[in-house]
């Protein structure tokens, strides 16, 4: 278990780790006991406070909130993709005015809080005479906000596509737009699928802010469900937290799975050319992919700004390629040297 | 239009100050938590590693709003009652801290093991190796993601309005009620956010260029 | 052989189930040059990396200059300072200039003054022929130049023994000789060296002894001429016939 920082331990190191393990377990147990004790003395563990969550009508109400959350997230996702695409293309456009407008839009929505955008979608539209209701307001705000974010991801995606593709398309005489549509875009979309699913996880978290304009998503239902007064804040938010955790966690897993599948398949074809280098690389890659995914998510934070992950990934891929070439070269040389 | 802003400038100013204070405190906390959790995560002690992964997973898979409500109302029910501002600062710090830990960890892991081995081979011990090789190299890869985190953290301060912290977004919401000039109220806050965050983005990009690794 | 600089006694190492080093006994005398050769996966790198404990061992003992190799801590770091290592992939510190790469060890480990260390470093860079690159970063140098800097970096610690793990196999053919030349000079100057390499020319002109490994074992020890002309063991002859096809 040797890593960048920690080398293989000697006997003294192992003894220290054992001691640290025991101490940290004890500390953990004590802390946990304290929490449970505190919960108990505060009367939070009584059955009466949790019982409301076993009543089907209450659960149904809460799950209705979950459905609303997913509904808003999906709607926002679909429209964000479409609009984000146009802004990505707009930013790559050759027309300076179009480019400028797109940059302004993207930069604006990337530098205000989502809550402010939600207020714009709700109060702003209301002031403009459009009483569209909480759902539409929320979706409009999420779309305005996320299409800015997605357009950055798309832009990076389009740019990261092999330049050779563009050149090949140009060589066979395709003009700009047909080329974009037929060659570049489909590939960009395919490559973006994992990022889009990851973004869906973020979006479903974002939907919670619809709370402030009265959208009946999980959190609002969590404090408005019929049994709320029998339960309490603590119980309600713990349950809401658990519901959210499961939803977001599953989406994140899915995104990671898709990403890994995509990477291994593209690496697989790459490695086939340089025979042999294959299998361990893929194992190593999944580790690295994990780190990259995590970094990407971290960079995305509550809302993805610049798309660091695509950069690091590109760099990682380049290095990967480099080592493989080196290995290939080495083997080649060994063979060559053998001959003379 | 201008007279609106000259009249309500003091409100915006107060809100901006609250937001900035919240950012500074929560982000500092996030950095501290991030270092500790990342340290746990790469440590050879299994329980610490599990604790760190659990911490990160918990905060990454919950919306900030739920974290705030748990911290404010939930913990309040346990008899620990703190004011909105301290609660918001700590909750946001813990939330961003989870992301920070991941950024730091991936920064450490981005240093190739060959670099560390070369350092050990010339006789560097753990601390000198960390100081001379690992940290300087990790810092370079970590600046951009930390900049993004800072910006995200900045924007996330707005969520504190849900537990009655009178920060900038709250102010614009309040001005809508008081003046009924919705778009002007909202735009005032938007402009302040945009100016500050474009500046912050520029600062981090400059840092990034300055410390970019020469390849 | 009490005067051996490096002694390996009954060394065994496992990677999980894999028995990577099997009962290794090897003595390396002062000023001796030992070339280790063997098929891929035979444990050459593992062997050489145990000498400064970049790899731990489970059984046996390793002594350097009569001192038992410590397993951790300050003692280990101190001992590593006396063992120079050159890696296949150079591993120069990417964020430090060439000069800083060479002075880091002397300044931080040997607590040498900065200007003394720099003077010494420049001398060493001169010796390996990259003095004029001192202020560049590793990525700005060719592979051959980087590897020569890596040798200078190791030499700056005035090690008792130098370890080389396939120092030329990541290099383009036209750069191999410049690195081998530096190594030949070292060998002639009396540096104690353990070298994993398949470069027959180097082995023939510099090696005092060849060590042939296969499947984690030392199968044969021989002088280079006899080894290449007629190895004693079947396995060595078999291996040689694969890499040398006349
Ligand atoms: N960190 C490790 N974990 C598990 N197995 C390892 C590790 N390092 C090496 N091995 C295994 O130990 C054996 C010896 O590896 P080693 O790298 O010493 O071979 P080598 O002779 O240097 O080969 P090459 O000529 O390819 O460099 C191989 O089977 C290898 O797969
Ligand atoms: Mg090897």
């Amino acid at each position: 278990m040797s890593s960048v920082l920690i080398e293989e331990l000697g006997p003294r190191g192992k003894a220290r780790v054992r001691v640290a393990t025991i101490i940290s377990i004890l500390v953990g147990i004590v802390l946990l006991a304290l929490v449970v004790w505190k919960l108990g003395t505060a009367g939070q563990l009584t059955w009466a406070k949790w019982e409301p969550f076993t009543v089907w009508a209450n659960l149904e109400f809460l799950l209705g909130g979950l459905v609303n959350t997913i509904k808003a997230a999906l709607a926002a996702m679909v429209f964000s993709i479409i609009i984000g695409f146009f802004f990505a293309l707009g930013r790559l456009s050759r027309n300076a005015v179009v480019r400028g407008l797109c940059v302004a839009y993207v930069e604006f929505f990337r530098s205000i809080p989502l809550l402010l955008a939600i207020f714009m979608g709700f109060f702003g539209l209301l002031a403009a005479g459009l009483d569209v209701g909480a759902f539409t307001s929320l979706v409009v705000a999420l779309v305005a906000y996320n299409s800015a974010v997605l357009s950055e991801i798309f832009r990076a995606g389009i740019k990261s596509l092999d330049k050779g593709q563009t050149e090949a398309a140009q060589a066979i005489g395709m003009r700009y737009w047909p080329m974009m549509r037929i060659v570049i875009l489909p590939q960009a979309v395919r490559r973006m699928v994992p990022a889009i699913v990851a973004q869906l996880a973020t979006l479903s978290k974002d939907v919670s802010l619809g709370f402030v304009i009265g959208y009946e998503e999980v959190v609002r239902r969590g404090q408005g469900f019929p049994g709320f007064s029998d339960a309490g804040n603590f119980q309600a938010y713990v349950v809401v937290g658990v519901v959210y955790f499961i939803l977001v966690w599953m989406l994140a897993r899915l995104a990671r799975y898709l990403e890994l599948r995509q990477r291994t398949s593209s690496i697989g074809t790459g490695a086939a050319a340089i025979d042999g280098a294959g299998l361990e690389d893929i194992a190593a890659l999944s580790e690295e992919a994990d780190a990259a995914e995590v970094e990407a998510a971290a960079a995305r934070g509550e809302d993805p700004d610049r798309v660091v992950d695509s950069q690091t990934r590109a760099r990682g891929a380049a290095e990967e390629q480099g080592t493989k070439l080196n290995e290939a070269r080495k083997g080649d040389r060994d063979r060559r040297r053998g001959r003379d | 239009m201008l007279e609106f802003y000259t009249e309500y400038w003091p409100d915006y100013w107060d809100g901006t100050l609250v937001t900035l204070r919240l950012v500074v405190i929560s982000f500092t906390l996030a950095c501290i938590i991030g270092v500790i959790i990342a340290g746990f995560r790469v440590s050879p002690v299994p329980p610490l590693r599990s604790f760190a992964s659990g911490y990160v997973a918990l905060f990454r898979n919950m919306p900030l709003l739920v974290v705030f409500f748990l911290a404010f109302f939930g913990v309040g029910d346990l008899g620990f009652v703190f004011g909105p501002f301290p609660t918001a600062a700590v909750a946001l710090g813990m939330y961003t801290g989870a992301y920070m830990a991941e950024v730091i960890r991936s920064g450490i892991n981005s240093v190739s093991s060959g670099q560390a081995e070369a350092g050990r081979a010339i006789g560097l011990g753990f601390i000198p190796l960390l100081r001379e090789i690992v940290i300087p190299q990790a810092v370079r890869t970590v600046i951009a993601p930390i900049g993004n985190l800072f910006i995200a953290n900045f924007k996330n301060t707005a969520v504190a309005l849900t537990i009655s912290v009178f920060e900038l977004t709250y102010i614009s919401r309040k001005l809508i009620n008081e003046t009924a000039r919705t778009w002007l109220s909202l735009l005032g806050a938007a402009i302040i956010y945009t100016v500050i965050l474009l500046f912050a983005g520029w600062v981090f990009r400059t840092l990034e260029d300055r410390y970019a690794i020469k390849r | 052989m009490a005067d051996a600089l490096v002694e390996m006694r009954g060394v065994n190492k496992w990677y999980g189930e894999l028995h990577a080093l099997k009962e290794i006994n090897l003595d390396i005398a002062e000023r001796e040059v030992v070339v280790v050769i063997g098929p891929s996966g035979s444990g050459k790198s593992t062997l050489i990396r145990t000498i400064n404990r970049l790899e731990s061992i489970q059984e046996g003992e390793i002594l350097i200059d009569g001192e038992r190799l410590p397993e951790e801590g300050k003692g280990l770091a101190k001992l590593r300072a006396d063992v120079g290592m050159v890696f296949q992939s150079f591993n120069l510190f990417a964020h430090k200039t060439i000069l800083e790469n060479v002075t880091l060890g002397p300044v931080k480990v040997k607590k040498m003054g900065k200007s003394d260390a720099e003077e010494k470093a420049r001398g060493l860079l001169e010796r390996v022929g990259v003095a004029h690159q001192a202020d560049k970063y590793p990525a700005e140098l060719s592979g051959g130049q980087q590897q020569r800097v890596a040798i200078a970096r190791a030499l700056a610690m005035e090690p008792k023994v130098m370890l080389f793990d396939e120092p030329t196999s990541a290099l383009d053919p036209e750069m191999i000789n410049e690195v081998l030349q530096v190594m030949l000079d070292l060998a002639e100057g009396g540096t104690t060296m353990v070298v994993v390499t398949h470069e027959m020319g180097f082995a023939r002109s510099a090696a005092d002894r060849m060590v042939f490994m296969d499947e984690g074992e030392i199968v044969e020890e021989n002088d280079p001429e006899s080894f290449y002309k007629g190895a004693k063991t079947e396995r060595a002859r078999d291996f040689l016939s694969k890499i040398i096809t006349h």
Side-chain angles (χ1 to χ4, degrees), chain C residues 208-220:
Chain C
D208 297 307
R209 188 156 41 122
M210 303 291 295
V211 169
F212 173 72
M213 290 188 71
D214 193 14
E215 295 182 351
E217 287 176 299
I218 293 182
V219 176
E220 174 168 348

Side-chain angles (χ1 to χ4, degrees), chain A residues 2 7-16 326-327 329-331 333-340, chain C residues 13 53-56 71-73 76 80 88 166 168-173 176 198-199 243-245:
Chain A
S2 143
E7 26 178 348
E8 266 180 271
L9 298 163
R12 204 147 34 91
K14 279 186 189 140
R16 274 193 209 149
N326 255 342
E327 279 166 17
R329 222 164 9 169
K330 178 188 166 194
R333 203 164 29 244
D334 283 351
R335 255 168 277 140
R336 220 172 331 124
R337 204 168 310 133
R339 271 195 301 278
D340 37 60
Chain C
K13 169 164 185 80
R53 206 188 175 274
L54 285 179
E55 300 290 348
S56 64
E71 287 175 284
E72 58 205 321
L76 176 61
R80 278 175 174 166
Q88 179 181 339
E166 304 207 39
T168 56
S169 55
L171 296 176
D172 287 330
I176 290 179
H198 289 167
E199 294 292 338
I243 65 162
I244 312 170
T245 44

Side-chain angles (χ1 to χ4, degrees), chain A residues 330, chain C residues 40-41 43-46 49 88 165-166 196:
Chain A
K330 178 188 166 194
Chain C
S40 182
K44 308 181 297 290
S45 298
T46 308
R49 287 161 59 85
Q88 179 181 339
D165 189 2
E166 304 207 39
V196 176

Side-chain angles (χ1 to χ4, degrees), chain A residues 75-141:
Chain A
M77 192 76 232
V78 170
F79 289 108
S80 303
I81 290 175
I82 297 168
I83 294 177
F85 235 2
F86 281 106
F87 279 103
L89 291 181
R91 280 193 82 164
L92 295 168
S93 151
R94 295 187 210 154
N95 182 326
V97 178
V98 173
R99 228 168 36 228
L101 284 174
C102 291
V103 170
Y105 171 88
V106 170
E107 290 296 322
F108 178 75
F109 278 104
R110 281 174 55 202
S111 36
I112 63 169
L114 177 57
L115 262 181
L116 201 59
I118 291 176
F119 285 152
M120 288 178 178
F122 191 69
F123 299 109
L125 290 187
L126 209 57
L130 294 169
D131 187 357
V132 291
F135 176 80
T136 312
S137 298
L138 178 63
V139 171
V140 166

Side-chain angles (χ1 to χ4, degrees), chain C residues 173-189:
Chain C
E174 68 271 21
M175 295 171 185
I176 290 179
N177 279 333
E178 63 192 48
V179 172
L180 288 180
Q181 191 55 52
V182 171
M183 290 168 61
L184 279 172
D185 291 347
L186 282 179
E188 242 146 64

